[in-house]
Amino acid sequence: METPAHDHAETPARRALDALSVNTEDTAALAALASSEVLVPVPDDANQEATADPTTVALPVLEQPDGDPVVPVFTSEGELAELLPYVSRYRLVPLAALASQWPAEDLSLSIDAGSTHPLTLTSEGVRTLLARH
């Protein structure tokens, strides 16, 4: 899908992130987040074959300032466009499905990194908090 101008929709995932910023133990918010869909950026230089297969998702890995790898995902097109304006395509993926297939290596997941209530989870956090819901 192409990303239009900055649409900051109030999605269930966004509401869950807002709730988790107040109470990180909010199981209802974690369940809502896990059951929501997120936008996974597709780099413009991504292999066309990989982006055409609906059963696989190539994870965009960025390097954090400390050198640790992180996969950015977003709750809305506006959040995506604000942080990564050069990305014009994305895949809509259920977060729980992404979490259940999360790689074993030390790879963090960052949800809405540029927002007022971002959430970054370690590999273990992705698998234990999101995949179980």
Side-chain angles (χ1 to χ4, degrees), residues 27 32 34 38 40-41 44 60 64-65 67-68 70 80 84-85 103 105 114-115 127:
T27 55
V38 292
V40 179
D44 288 334
Q64 297 183 84
D68 290 339
V70 63
L80 169 61
L84 301 174
E105 65 262 12
S115 74
R127 289 189 302 273

Side-chain angles (χ1 to χ4, degrees), residues 16 24 29 33-34 36 45 47-48 56 69 73 78 83 86 108 115 125 127:
T24 57
L33 185 62
S36 65
D45 62 350
N47 177 330
Q48 192 65 18
T56 63
V73 299
L83 191 64
Y86 54 87
S108 297
S115 74
R127 289 189 302 273

Side-chain angles (χ1 to χ4, degrees), residues 7-19:
D7 168 32
H8 292 279
E10 184 67 20
T11 64
R14 177 78 259 150
R15 286 190 293 277
L17 288 177
D18 292 343

Side-chain angles (χ1 to χ4, degrees), residues 22 24 62 71-72 80 96:
V22 175
T24 57
L62 302 177
V71 173
L80 169 61

